[in-house]
Amino acid sequence: MSELIITKPDDMHLHLREGAMLKYACKDTEKQFARAIVMPNLKVPITSVNQAENYYQDIKKINRDSNFEPLMTLFFTNALDRDEIRKVSDSSVVHGIKLYPSGVTTNSDNGINTIENCFNIFELMQECEVPLLIHGESNDKSVDIFDREKVFIDRHLSGIHSKFPELRIVFEHISTKEAVDFVIGTNNKVNATITPQHMLLDRNDLLSDGIKPHHYCLPILKRSEDRLAIIKAAVSGSKNFFLGTDSAPHLRHQKESSCGCAGIYSAVCAMELYASIFEAENALDKLENFSSKFGADFYKLPYNKLKIKLIKQEYQVPRKINIGTEEIIPLFAGETLSWQLSEI
Ligand code: NCD
Ligand code: ZN
Protein backbone atom coordinates (compact mmCIF):
# COMPACT_ATOMS: atom_id res chain seq x y z
CA MET A 1 0.00 0.00 0.00
CA SER A 2 1.44 3.40 -0.92
CA GLU A 3 -1.35 5.68 0.18
CA LEU A 4 -3.81 5.64 3.02
CA ILE A 5 -6.81 7.91 3.56
CA ILE A 6 -8.44 7.66 6.96
CA THR A 7 -10.80 9.63 9.19
CA LYS A 8 -8.78 12.40 10.83
CA PRO A 9 -7.47 10.87 14.09
CA ASP A 10 -7.86 11.98 17.70
CA ASP A 11 -4.94 12.13 20.11
CA MET A 12 -6.42 10.88 23.35
CA HIS A 13 -3.45 11.94 25.51
CA LEU A 14 -1.65 15.20 24.80
CA HIS A 15 0.27 17.94 26.63
CA LEU A 16 -0.20 21.35 25.03
CA ARG A 17 1.37 23.42 27.84
CA GLU A 18 0.83 27.19 28.00
CA GLY A 19 2.56 30.47 27.06
CA ALA A 20 4.91 30.43 24.06
CA MET A 21 5.00 26.63 23.86
CA LEU A 22 1.24 26.31 23.43
CA LYS A 23 1.33 27.89 19.97
CA TYR A 24 3.95 25.47 18.62
CA ALA A 25 2.41 22.39 20.19
CA CYS A 26 -1.00 23.30 18.73
CA LYS A 27 0.42 23.91 15.26
CA ASP A 28 1.96 20.45 15.04
CA THR A 29 -1.02 18.65 16.55
CA GLU A 30 -3.78 20.29 14.50
CA LYS A 31 -2.21 19.01 11.25
CA GLN A 32 -2.36 15.45 12.46
CA PHE A 33 -5.37 15.34 14.76
CA ALA A 34 -8.92 16.68 14.72
CA ARG A 35 -9.27 16.55 18.51
CA ALA A 36 -7.13 15.82 21.52
CA ILE A 37 -7.61 15.02 25.18
CA VAL A 38 -5.60 17.84 26.74
CA MET A 39 -3.77 17.03 29.95
CA PRO A 40 -4.31 19.37 32.91
CA ASN A 41 -0.80 19.27 34.44
CA LEU A 42 0.08 22.91 33.91
CA LYS A 43 2.31 24.65 36.47
CA VAL A 44 -0.91 25.69 38.17
CA PRO A 45 -3.04 22.61 37.47
CA ILE A 46 -6.49 22.85 35.91
CA THR A 47 -8.73 21.85 38.80
CA SER A 48 -12.12 23.35 37.98
CA VAL A 49 -14.50 23.40 35.04
CA ASN A 50 -14.15 27.17 35.07
CA GLN A 51 -10.37 27.02 34.63
CA ALA A 52 -10.75 24.33 31.96
CA GLU A 53 -13.12 26.58 30.02
CA ASN A 54 -10.56 29.41 30.10
CA TYR A 55 -7.77 27.09 28.96
CA TYR A 56 -10.09 25.82 26.21
CA GLN A 57 -10.60 29.41 25.00
CA ASP A 58 -6.82 30.05 25.01
CA ILE A 59 -6.33 26.98 22.81
CA LYS A 60 -9.21 27.87 20.49
CA LYS A 61 -7.81 31.40 20.00
CA ILE A 62 -4.51 29.97 18.80
CA ASN A 63 -6.30 27.60 16.45
CA ARG A 64 -8.64 30.23 15.03
CA ASP A 65 -7.98 29.09 11.45
CA SER A 66 -8.45 25.39 12.07
CA ASN A 67 -11.23 23.12 13.27
CA PHE A 68 -9.06 21.61 15.99
CA GLU A 69 -11.14 20.77 19.05
CA PRO A 70 -9.45 20.45 22.45
CA LEU A 71 -11.14 18.01 24.83
CA MET A 72 -10.40 19.28 28.31
CA THR A 73 -9.67 17.38 31.54
CA LEU A 74 -9.42 18.28 35.22
CA PHE A 75 -6.53 17.47 37.53
CA PHE A 76 -7.63 15.26 40.45
CA THR A 77 -6.60 16.86 43.76
CA ASN A 78 -7.65 16.15 47.35
CA ALA A 79 -9.90 19.20 47.09
CA LEU A 80 -11.96 17.82 44.18
CA ASP A 81 -15.55 17.77 45.41
CA ARG A 82 -18.89 16.31 44.40
CA ASP A 83 -20.21 19.61 43.02
CA GLU A 84 -17.32 19.78 40.58
CA ILE A 85 -18.03 16.23 39.38
CA ARG A 86 -21.62 17.24 38.67
CA LYS A 87 -20.33 20.27 36.74
CA VAL A 88 -18.05 18.00 34.71
CA SER A 89 -20.94 15.70 34.01
CA ASP A 90 -22.97 18.66 32.64
CA SER A 91 -20.04 20.19 30.75
CA SER A 92 -19.54 19.83 27.00
CA VAL A 93 -15.93 21.04 27.32
CA VAL A 94 -14.53 18.72 30.03
CA HIS A 95 -14.33 15.02 29.17
CA GLY A 96 -12.61 13.39 32.12
CA ILE A 97 -10.57 13.74 35.28
CA LYS A 98 -6.89 12.85 35.38
CA LEU A 99 -5.45 11.24 38.48
CA TYR A 100 -1.71 11.49 39.05
CA PRO A 101 -0.22 9.83 42.11
CA SER A 102 1.51 12.77 43.79
CA GLY A 103 5.01 13.45 42.45
CA VAL A 104 4.95 10.61 39.93
CA THR A 105 5.76 12.74 36.86
CA THR A 106 6.10 16.30 35.50
CA ASN A 107 3.93 18.86 37.36
CA SER A 108 2.15 16.27 39.49
CA ASP A 109 2.99 17.46 43.01
CA ASN A 110 -0.64 18.37 43.61
CA GLY A 111 -1.70 14.80 42.84
CA ILE A 112 -3.05 12.12 45.14
CA ASN A 113 -1.18 10.31 47.91
CA THR A 114 -3.91 8.12 49.40
CA ILE A 115 -6.06 6.78 46.61
CA GLU A 116 -8.57 5.20 49.03
CA ASN A 117 -9.55 8.74 50.09
CA CYS A 118 -10.90 9.27 46.55
CA PHE A 119 -13.39 6.40 46.67
CA ASN A 120 -16.45 8.55 47.35
CA ILE A 121 -15.56 10.66 44.31
CA PHE A 122 -14.98 7.53 42.18
CA GLU A 123 -18.42 6.35 43.20
CA LEU A 124 -20.02 9.56 41.94
CA MET A 125 -17.92 9.49 38.75
CA GLN A 126 -19.14 5.95 38.15
CA GLU A 127 -22.74 7.08 38.68
CA CYS A 128 -22.34 10.15 36.41
CA GLU A 129 -20.29 8.18 33.84
CA VAL A 130 -17.38 10.62 34.07
CA PRO A 131 -14.15 8.99 32.80
CA LEU A 132 -11.23 8.56 35.19
CA LEU A 133 -7.87 8.93 33.45
CA ILE A 134 -5.01 7.43 35.41
CA HIS A 135 -1.24 7.83 35.33
CA GLY A 136 -0.78 4.26 36.49
CA GLU A 137 2.53 4.26 38.32
CA SER A 138 3.25 3.87 42.01
CA ASN A 139 4.73 6.98 43.63
CA ASP A 140 6.39 4.85 46.31
CA LYS A 141 10.02 5.88 45.80
CA SER A 142 11.23 2.59 47.27
CA VAL A 143 9.74 0.75 44.26
CA ASP A 144 12.15 0.23 41.37
CA ILE A 145 11.30 2.66 38.56
CA PHE A 146 10.88 -0.22 36.09
CA ASP A 147 8.30 -1.90 38.38
CA ARG A 148 6.16 1.12 39.21
CA GLU A 149 3.42 0.39 36.67
CA LYS A 150 3.04 -3.24 37.69
CA VAL A 151 3.02 -2.29 41.38
CA PHE A 152 0.34 0.32 40.71
CA ILE A 153 -1.86 -2.33 39.09
CA ASP A 154 -1.43 -4.70 42.03
CA ARG A 155 -1.75 -2.16 44.82
CA HIS A 156 -4.37 0.18 43.34
CA LEU A 157 -5.80 -0.28 39.86
CA SER A 158 -7.14 -3.80 40.22
CA GLY A 159 -8.80 -2.75 43.52
CA ILE A 160 -10.35 0.36 41.96
CA HIS A 161 -11.71 -1.68 39.07
CA SER A 162 -13.16 -4.40 41.37
CA LYS A 163 -14.80 -1.88 43.67
CA PHE A 164 -16.14 0.29 40.83
CA PRO A 165 -16.65 -2.15 37.95
CA GLU A 166 -18.71 0.32 35.90
CA LEU A 167 -16.26 3.22 36.30
CA ARG A 168 -14.92 4.18 32.86
CA ILE A 169 -11.14 4.16 33.22
CA VAL A 170 -8.31 5.05 30.85
CA PHE A 171 -5.02 3.49 31.91
CA GLU A 172 -2.79 6.06 30.24
CA HIS A 173 0.35 5.38 28.18
CA ILE A 174 0.74 1.71 29.09
CA SER A 175 4.33 0.51 29.09
CA THR A 176 4.31 -3.13 30.22
CA LYS A 177 3.02 -6.54 29.24
CA GLU A 178 1.30 -6.65 32.67
CA ALA A 179 -0.70 -3.55 31.77
CA VAL A 180 -1.78 -5.08 28.45
CA ASP A 181 -2.88 -8.27 30.24
CA PHE A 182 -4.71 -6.29 32.90
CA VAL A 183 -6.73 -4.32 30.33
CA ILE A 184 -7.60 -7.49 28.42
CA GLY A 185 -8.81 -9.07 31.67
CA THR A 186 -11.33 -6.32 32.50
CA ASN A 187 -14.89 -6.03 31.21
CA ASN A 188 -14.23 -3.34 28.58
CA LYS A 189 -14.45 -0.63 31.23
CA VAL A 190 -10.67 -0.25 31.49
CA ASN A 191 -9.18 1.05 28.28
CA ALA A 192 -5.64 2.12 27.53
CA THR A 193 -3.82 4.70 25.45
CA ILE A 194 -0.69 3.69 23.56
CA THR A 195 2.16 6.03 22.63
CA PRO A 196 4.54 5.66 19.68
CA GLN A 197 7.60 5.58 21.93
CA HIS A 198 6.37 2.60 23.96
CA MET A 199 5.99 0.63 20.71
CA LEU A 200 9.21 1.77 19.02
CA LEU A 201 11.75 1.99 21.82
CA ASP A 202 12.90 0.00 24.81
CA ARG A 203 15.23 0.78 27.69
CA ASN A 204 18.32 0.00 25.60
CA ASP A 205 17.35 2.93 23.37
CA LEU A 206 17.45 5.09 26.48
CA LEU A 207 20.48 3.75 28.33
CA SER A 208 22.76 1.74 26.05
CA ASP A 209 25.56 3.37 24.00
CA GLY A 210 25.22 6.62 25.94
CA ILE A 211 22.24 8.08 27.79
CA LYS A 212 19.59 9.60 25.50
CA PRO A 213 17.69 12.31 27.37
CA HIS A 214 15.23 12.77 24.49
CA HIS A 215 14.08 9.19 25.00
CA TYR A 216 13.32 9.78 28.67
CA CYS A 217 9.64 9.76 29.50
CA LEU A 218 7.38 8.39 32.19
CA PRO A 219 6.41 5.62 32.39
CA ILE A 220 10.04 4.87 31.58
CA LEU A 221 10.73 2.70 28.51
CA LYS A 222 10.76 -0.98 29.45
CA ARG A 223 12.03 -4.25 28.00
CA SER A 224 11.66 -5.42 24.44
CA GLU A 225 9.04 -8.03 25.49
CA ASP A 226 6.88 -5.23 26.88
CA ARG A 227 7.24 -3.25 23.67
CA LEU A 228 6.16 -6.27 21.61
CA ALA A 229 3.14 -6.93 23.87
CA ILE A 230 2.01 -3.32 23.41
CA ILE A 231 2.36 -3.53 19.61
CA LYS A 232 0.32 -6.72 19.65
CA ALA A 233 -2.43 -5.00 21.66
CA ALA A 234 -2.48 -1.96 19.36
CA VAL A 235 -2.86 -3.99 16.17
CA SER A 236 -5.18 -6.59 17.74
CA GLY A 237 -8.34 -4.77 16.69
CA SER A 238 -9.51 -4.67 20.33
CA LYS A 239 -11.41 -1.46 20.98
CA ASN A 240 -9.93 -1.22 24.46
CA PHE A 241 -6.65 0.10 23.06
CA PHE A 242 -6.47 3.46 21.31
CA LEU A 243 -4.10 6.19 20.27
CA GLY A 244 -2.66 8.68 22.77
CA THR A 245 0.73 10.14 21.91
CA ASP A 246 1.61 11.60 25.33
CA SER A 247 3.49 14.16 23.27
CA ALA A 248 5.03 16.29 26.03
CA PRO A 249 7.34 19.13 24.98
CA HIS A 250 10.17 20.35 27.19
CA LEU A 251 12.83 22.86 26.20
CA ARG A 252 16.10 21.30 25.08
CA HIS A 253 18.11 22.61 28.01
CA GLN A 254 15.56 21.15 30.45
CA LYS A 255 16.06 17.69 28.93
CA GLU A 256 19.80 17.85 28.30
CA SER A 257 20.54 18.51 31.94
CA SER A 258 22.01 16.81 35.02
CA CYS A 259 18.41 16.38 36.17
CA GLY A 260 16.47 16.13 32.91
CA CYS A 261 12.69 16.38 32.55
CA ALA A 262 10.52 13.42 31.53
CA GLY A 263 8.52 13.81 28.32
CA ILE A 264 8.94 13.10 24.60
CA TYR A 265 7.75 15.46 21.87
CA SER A 266 6.20 13.41 19.05
CA ALA A 267 3.39 15.65 17.76
CA VAL A 268 5.38 16.66 14.68
CA CYS A 269 5.47 13.11 13.27
CA ALA A 270 2.95 11.07 15.27
CA MET A 271 0.82 9.57 12.50
CA GLU A 272 3.92 8.83 10.40
CA LEU A 273 5.22 6.77 13.33
CA TYR A 274 1.97 4.92 13.99
CA ALA A 275 1.64 4.15 10.25
CA SER A 276 5.12 2.64 10.12
CA ILE A 277 4.38 0.44 13.14
CA PHE A 278 1.07 -0.81 11.74
CA GLU A 279 2.66 -1.40 8.33
CA ALA A 280 5.46 -3.48 9.85
CA GLU A 281 2.79 -5.63 11.51
CA ASN A 282 0.83 -5.96 8.28
CA ALA A 283 -2.04 -4.22 10.00
CA LEU A 284 -2.56 -0.93 8.14
CA ASP A 285 -6.23 -1.87 7.83
CA LYS A 286 -6.47 -1.60 11.64
CA LEU A 287 -4.92 1.87 11.89
CA GLU A 288 -8.12 3.86 11.38
CA ASN A 289 -10.04 2.17 14.19
CA PHE A 290 -7.10 2.55 16.57
CA SER A 291 -6.50 6.20 15.65
CA SER A 292 -9.90 7.62 14.82
CA LYS A 293 -12.71 5.44 16.18
CA PHE A 294 -12.02 3.48 19.38
CA GLY A 295 -11.05 6.60 21.35
CA ALA A 296 -14.12 8.47 20.06
CA ASP A 297 -16.29 5.50 21.04
CA PHE A 298 -14.87 5.47 24.56
CA TYR A 299 -15.43 9.22 25.01
CA LYS A 300 -18.87 8.97 23.35
CA LEU A 301 -17.96 11.42 20.60
CA PRO A 302 -19.04 11.36 16.95
CA TYR A 303 -16.41 10.34 14.39
CA ASN A 304 -14.63 13.22 12.69
CA LYS A 305 -15.84 14.21 9.25
CA LEU A 306 -12.39 15.31 8.04
CA LYS A 307 -9.87 12.88 6.56
CA ILE A 308 -6.08 12.72 6.43
CA LYS A 309 -3.85 11.21 3.79
CA LEU A 310 -0.63 9.35 4.55
CA ILE A 311 1.69 8.51 1.68
CA LYS A 312 4.55 6.04 1.55
CA GLN A 313 7.27 8.59 0.94
CA GLU A 314 10.40 9.39 2.89
CA TYR A 315 10.09 12.20 5.38
CA GLN A 316 12.81 13.77 7.47
CA VAL A 317 11.77 14.71 10.98
CA PRO A 318 12.85 18.31 11.78
CA ARG A 319 16.11 18.46 13.76
CA LYS A 320 14.59 20.98 16.14
CA ILE A 321 11.67 23.30 16.59
CA ASN A 322 12.60 26.88 17.40
CA ILE A 323 10.63 28.66 20.06
CA GLY A 324 12.06 32.18 20.19
CA THR A 325 15.64 31.69 21.30
CA GLU A 326 14.88 28.25 22.75
CA GLU A 327 14.31 24.92 21.04
CA ILE A 328 12.51 21.60 21.34
CA ILE A 329 14.07 18.39 20.03
CA PRO A 330 11.37 16.08 18.66
CA LEU A 331 11.40 12.29 18.79
CA PHE A 332 13.64 10.91 16.00
CA ALA A 333 14.94 14.41 15.22
CA GLY A 334 16.72 14.49 11.85
CA GLU A 335 15.89 10.84 11.09
CA THR A 336 14.10 9.64 7.97
CA LEU A 337 10.70 7.97 8.30
CA SER A 338 9.03 5.96 5.54
CA TRP A 339 5.57 7.60 5.69
CA GLN A 340 4.50 11.19 5.50
CA LEU A 341 1.35 13.17 6.00
CA SER A 342 0.17 14.76 2.77
CA GLU A 343 -2.39 17.26 1.56
CA ILE A 344 -5.69 15.59 0.85
C1 NCD B 1 4.54 14.22 30.86
C2 NCD B 1 4.79 15.73 30.90
O1 NCD B 1 5.93 16.15 30.60
O2 NCD B 1 3.87 16.49 31.22
N1 NCD B 1 5.80 13.52 30.84
C3 NCD B 1 6.03 12.25 30.43
O3 NCD B 1 7.16 11.79 30.57
N2 NCD B 1 5.11 11.54 29.86
C4 NCD B 1 3.67 13.82 32.00
C5 NCD B 1 3.16 12.40 31.93
O4 NCD B 1 2.26 12.10 31.14
O5 NCD B 1 3.68 11.57 32.66
ZN1 ZN C 1 1.18 12.51 29.62
Side-chain angles (χ1 to χ4, degrees):
M1 205 184 287
S2 60
E3 179 180 304
L4 193 61
I5 294 177
I6 59 171
T7 302
K8 195 164 187 184
D10 298 318
D11 183 350
M12 293 313 192
H13 183 130
L14 177 68
H15 299 269
L16 283 177
R17 312 297 193 208
E18 56 206 309
M21 224 182 235
L22 175 62
K23 193 170 97 196
Y24 294 90
C26 284
K27 203 168 90 210
D28 287 335
T29 288
E30 70 178 30
K31 285 189 202 134
Q32 307 241 341
F33 298 103
R35 298 175 292 208
I37 290 280
V38 179
M39 290 295 140
N41 64 330
L42 303 188
K43 287 204 179 79
V44 175
I46 305 290
T47 55
S48 68
V49 171
N50 223 345
Q51 269 175 290
E53 283 169 352
N54 290 336
Y55 188 26
Y56 174 90
Q57 291 303 341
D58 292 344
I59 299 168
K60 285 300 268 187
K61 259 182 241 152
I62 283 175
N63 293 279
R64 221 172 263 145
D65 301 330
S66 86
N67 296 312
F68 177 71
E69 190 61 17
L71 309 166
M72 310 311 290
T73 59
L74 299 194
F75 189 110
F76 206 129
T77 68
N78 290 321
L80 180 66
D81 63 23
R82 298 173 74 84
D83 283 350
E84 207 62 45
I85 301 297
R86 293 209 177 81
K87 284 188 201 155
V88 170
S89 166
D90 292 339
S91 167
S92 56
V93 168
V94 179
H95 295 264
I97 302 178
K98 176 74 184 285
L99 188 151
Y100 294 89
S102 171
V104 79
T105 187
T106 307
N107 294 344
S108 63
D109 290 350
N110 294 294
I112 299 297
N113 258 320
T114 310
I115 289 188
E116 291 68 30
N117 291 349
C118 305
F119 280 7
N120 68 328
I121 298 287
F122 292 170
E123 191 168 24
L124 185 60
M125 289 173 72
Q126 174 173 256
E127 193 186 309
C128 301
E129 300 190 10
V130 172
L132 175 67
L133 285 46
I134 303 184
H135 184 114
E137 286 192 289
S138 171
N139 64 352
D140 177 345
K141 300 287 182 213
S142 70
V143 175
D144 188 284
I145 189 168
F146 292 99
D147 295 334
R148 288 181 188 169
E149 188 171 271
K150 181 184 158 12
V151 167
F152 186 86
I153 298 171
D154 297 343
R155 287 192 195 164
H156 304 291
L157 190 55
S158 62
I160 296 170
H161 174 59
S162 317
K163 210 165 160 52
F164 306 101
E166 296 302 312
L167 180 60
R168 296 163 60 211
I169 295 175
V170 184
F171 189 175
E172 299 289 347
H173 41 49
I174 53 169
S175 67
T176 55
K177 182 175 180 314
E178 284 83 359
V180 169
D181 292 342
F182 177 77
V183 171
I184 292 170
T186 64
N187 58 354
N188 293 328
K189 292 290 174 194
V190 181
N191 291 247
T193 49
I194 296 185
T195 74
Q197 63 265 24
H198 291 106
M199 291 196 281
L200 288 164
L201 304 172
D202 61 39
R203 62 202 212 178
N204 281 0
D205 298 299
L206 172 67
L207 297 169
S208 173
D209 298 324
I211 191 162
K212 316 281 186 329
H214 298 291
H215 289 170
Y216 176 54
C217 65
L218 290 169
I220 199 159
L221 298 169
K222 305 292 190 310
R223 290 177 175 277
S224 185
E225 336 27 323
D226 295 300
R227 190 176 73 73
L228 296 174
I230 295 165
I231 293 179
K232 201 168 151 203
V235 304
S236 68
S238 158
K239 65 186 189 57
N240 303 131
F241 298 97
F242 49 80
L243 185 155
T245 62
D246 193 19
S247 180
H250 291 276
L251 296 175
R252 177 179 194 162
H253 73 86
Q254 292 166 329
K255 291 206 53 82
E256 296 175 8
S257 147
S258 58
C259 184
C261 296
I264 292 179
Y265 189 64
S266 61
V268 73
C269 57
M271 285 314 297
E272 289 87 342
L273 296 175
Y274 284 110
S276 64
I277 297 162
F278 276 66
E279 181 189 35
E281 296 300 308
N282 241 322
L284 277 175
D285 59 324
K286 305 262 174 54
L287 183 63
E288 183 174 39
N289 279 342
F290 174 80
S291 315
S292 321
K293 302 211 162 149
F294 294 158
D297 290 342
F298 174 82
Y299 282 104
K300 302 186 178 167
L301 299 166
Y303 298 144
N304 296 309
K305 299 260 180 334
L306 297 171
K307 305 262 178 202
I308 58 158
K309 179 151 98 177
L310 286 153
I311 54 175
K312 186 86 189 281
Q313 196 168 297
E314 288 194 344
Y315 159 70
Q316 197 192 20
V317 180
R319 287 179 190 284
K320 57 182 181 161
I321 291 146
N322 292 316
I323 300 195
T325 55
E326 304 272 10
E327 44 193 51
I328 293 171
I329 306 297
L331 180 60
F332 298 128
E335 291 184 38
T336 302
L337 308 181
S338 52
W339 285 86
Q340 73 169 266
L341 208 60
S342 154
E343 291 300 317
I344 195 134

